[in-house]
Amino acid sequence: MRKPCMAANWKMNKTTGETRAFLDEFIPLVQDVKNVDIVVAPPFTSIHAAAALLAGSHIRLSAQNLFHEEKGAYTGEISPAMLTDAGCSHVIIGHSERRQYFKETDEMLNRKVRIARKHALQVIFCIGESLEEREAGKTFEVLNREIGEGLKEVSPEGIIVAYEPIWAIGTGKTATTEQAQEAHYSIREKLAALYSNAAAQEIRILYGGSVTPDNIDALMRCADVDGALVGGASLKADSFSKIVKFNTDYKQ
Ligand code: PEP
């Protein structure tokens, strides 16, 4: 049975003070939740403050990005060793905003995934189609390419996939449960082809795109949805804690 995972992607939000205020409120709200992996991804500048507050808790710390080299003359970039040193166990790679605004290619993302795994960081690897691609009937082609290229020569351990249809991110438009299940099922098939059926059954596939406390239960009822990567609704402790405490009856 795959353990559900709920991950908060704060994007470019929260100062260190705001991070502390969130965690002071959030940690007690979820301290009894043992059957869900909880991951929080603050901006780089808040990682140190978050690590201090999360020490000894079961909440895991993630970065939102990293660079694909070990060290050197890469002004403004952050290495995998810096992330593990700062207390991160996870890193988000391939978010559509990175692909779109920072022109990160499949090849660059594959290098990021490989260096992250070399440093034993768990990778939340994001994939997803644009509205244009969906309307052109290219959804599965895009998902297959992003998985095939992004996870090339990467073993399945430590990989979490996040399916985030770009048209659903930050728009208030969630994929229907049918759309989500269909995409997750096809992603698992692709993972089975890339690795093995047994490995694909172990890999968690999170859904991302306007997840809220109101739609999480329906999404988690889908057989292949193993959790969520949450943007907007993860910025408030109360709403993210409600997502973390979804009705687990469906996943026992
Ligand atoms: C995200 O950015 O990963 C995301 C899913 O954002 P939102 O929940 O705001 O749609």
Short mmCIF file of all heavy atoms in Angstrom, two decimals, residues 9 11 95 97 164 168-171 208-211 229-233, ligand 1:
data_model
loop_
_atom_site.label_atom_id
_atom_site.label_comp_id
_atom_site.label_asym_id
_atom_site.label_seq_id
_atom_site.Cartn_x
_atom_site.Cartn_y
_atom_site.Cartn_z
N ASN A 9 3.80 23.48 -1.62
CA ASN A 9 4.74 24.26 -2.42
C ASN A 9 4.40 25.74 -2.24
O ASN A 9 3.42 26.22 -2.80
CB ASN A 9 4.62 23.86 -3.90
CG ASN A 9 5.48 24.74 -4.80
OD1 ASN A 9 6.40 25.42 -4.32
ND2 ASN A 9 5.19 24.74 -6.10
N LYS A 11 6.08 28.28 -3.22
CA LYS A 11 6.57 29.14 -4.30
C LYS A 11 7.30 30.37 -3.71
O LYS A 11 7.95 30.24 -2.68
CB LYS A 11 5.41 29.56 -5.20
CG LYS A 11 4.54 28.37 -5.61
CD LYS A 11 3.56 28.71 -6.69
CE LYS A 11 2.65 27.54 -6.93
NZ LYS A 11 1.86 27.65 -8.13
N HIS A 95 8.85 21.73 -11.85
CA HIS A 95 7.57 22.42 -11.75
C HIS A 95 7.32 23.19 -13.05
O HIS A 95 8.25 23.73 -13.65
CB HIS A 95 7.58 23.38 -10.55
CG HIS A 95 6.22 23.89 -10.21
ND1 HIS A 95 5.62 24.90 -10.93
CD2 HIS A 95 5.32 23.50 -9.28
CE1 HIS A 95 4.41 25.12 -10.44
NE2 HIS A 95 4.20 24.29 -9.43
N GLU A 97 6.26 26.02 -13.61
CA GLU A 97 6.74 27.41 -13.61
C GLU A 97 8.23 27.46 -13.92
O GLU A 97 8.71 28.41 -14.55
CB GLU A 97 6.42 28.07 -12.25
CG GLU A 97 4.91 28.32 -12.11
CD GLU A 97 4.38 28.29 -10.70
OE1 GLU A 97 5.17 28.37 -9.74
OE2 GLU A 97 3.15 28.17 -10.54
N GLU A 164 0.64 17.59 -12.59
CA GLU A 164 0.06 18.91 -12.42
C GLU A 164 -0.36 19.46 -13.79
O GLU A 164 0.48 20.03 -14.51
CB GLU A 164 1.07 19.86 -11.79
CG GLU A 164 1.53 19.41 -10.42
CD GLU A 164 1.98 20.59 -9.57
OE1 GLU A 164 2.86 21.35 -10.00
OE2 GLU A 164 1.40 20.77 -8.51
N ALA A 168 -4.60 23.77 -14.56
CA ALA A 168 -5.28 23.68 -13.26
C ALA A 168 -4.47 24.35 -12.15
O ALA A 168 -4.95 24.47 -11.02
CB ALA A 168 -5.54 22.22 -12.90
N ILE A 169 -3.25 24.81 -12.47
CA ILE A 169 -2.40 25.37 -11.42
C ILE A 169 -2.75 26.82 -11.16
O ILE A 169 -2.65 27.67 -12.05
CB ILE A 169 -0.90 25.26 -11.79
CG1 ILE A 169 -0.53 23.77 -11.93
CG2 ILE A 169 -0.02 25.93 -10.75
CD1 ILE A 169 0.91 23.55 -12.33
N GLY A 170 -3.16 27.09 -9.94
CA GLY A 170 -3.44 28.46 -9.52
C GLY A 170 -4.63 29.08 -10.22
O GLY A 170 -4.84 30.30 -10.16
N THR A 171 -5.42 28.27 -10.90
CA THR A 171 -6.54 28.82 -11.69
C THR A 171 -7.89 28.60 -11.02
O THR A 171 -8.89 29.15 -11.47
CB THR A 171 -6.60 28.14 -13.07
OG1 THR A 171 -6.74 26.72 -12.85
CG2 THR A 171 -5.35 28.40 -13.89
N GLY A 208 -1.64 17.71 -8.52
CA GLY A 208 -1.50 19.12 -8.17
C GLY A 208 -2.28 19.98 -9.13
O GLY A 208 -2.29 19.74 -10.35
N GLY A 209 -2.94 20.99 -8.60
CA GLY A 209 -3.72 21.91 -9.45
C GLY A 209 -4.99 22.30 -8.73
O GLY A 209 -5.97 21.58 -8.79
N SER A 210 -4.90 23.44 -8.01
CA SER A 210 -6.07 23.98 -7.30
C SER A 210 -6.69 22.98 -6.31
O SER A 210 -7.91 22.90 -6.19
CB SER A 210 -7.10 24.49 -8.31
OG SER A 210 -6.55 25.52 -9.09
N VAL A 211 -5.83 22.25 -5.61
CA VAL A 211 -6.33 21.36 -4.54
C VAL A 211 -6.73 22.21 -3.34
O VAL A 211 -6.03 23.17 -2.98
CB VAL A 211 -5.25 20.34 -4.14
CG1 VAL A 211 -5.67 19.55 -2.89
CG2 VAL A 211 -4.97 19.38 -5.29
N LEU A 229 0.23 17.80 -4.38
CA LEU A 229 1.19 18.90 -4.30
C LEU A 229 0.33 20.15 -4.34
O LEU A 229 -0.41 20.38 -5.30
CB LEU A 229 2.17 18.84 -5.48
CG LEU A 229 3.23 19.94 -5.53
CD1 LEU A 229 4.08 19.98 -4.26
CD2 LEU A 229 4.16 19.73 -6.74
N VAL A 230 0.43 20.94 -3.27
CA VAL A 230 -0.55 22.01 -3.06
C VAL A 230 0.15 23.37 -3.06
O VAL A 230 1.11 23.57 -2.31
CB VAL A 230 -1.27 21.80 -1.71
CG1 VAL A 230 -2.42 22.80 -1.56
CG2 VAL A 230 -1.78 20.37 -1.56
N GLY A 231 -0.33 24.29 -3.88
CA GLY A 231 0.22 25.63 -3.90
C GLY A 231 -0.59 26.55 -3.00
O GLY A 231 -0.42 26.57 -1.78
N GLY A 232 -1.52 27.30 -3.59
CA GLY A 232 -2.27 28.33 -2.87
C GLY A 232 -2.85 27.88 -1.53
O GLY A 232 -2.71 28.59 -0.52
N ALA A 233 -3.47 26.71 -1.51
CA ALA A 233 -4.13 26.27 -0.28
C ALA A 233 -3.16 25.75 0.77
O ALA A 233 -3.58 25.36 1.87
CB ALA A 233 -5.17 25.19 -0.61
C1 PEP B 1 1.53 24.10 -7.63
O1 PEP B 1 2.06 25.14 -7.92
O2 PEP B 1 2.23 23.10 -7.50
C2 PEP B 1 0.08 24.10 -7.47
C3 PEP B 1 -0.53 22.97 -7.64
O3 PEP B 1 -0.54 25.31 -7.21
P1 PEP B 1 -2.09 25.53 -6.81
O4 PEP B 1 -2.42 24.49 -5.76
O5 PEP B 1 -2.17 26.91 -6.31
O6 PEP B 1 -2.88 25.29 -8.05
#
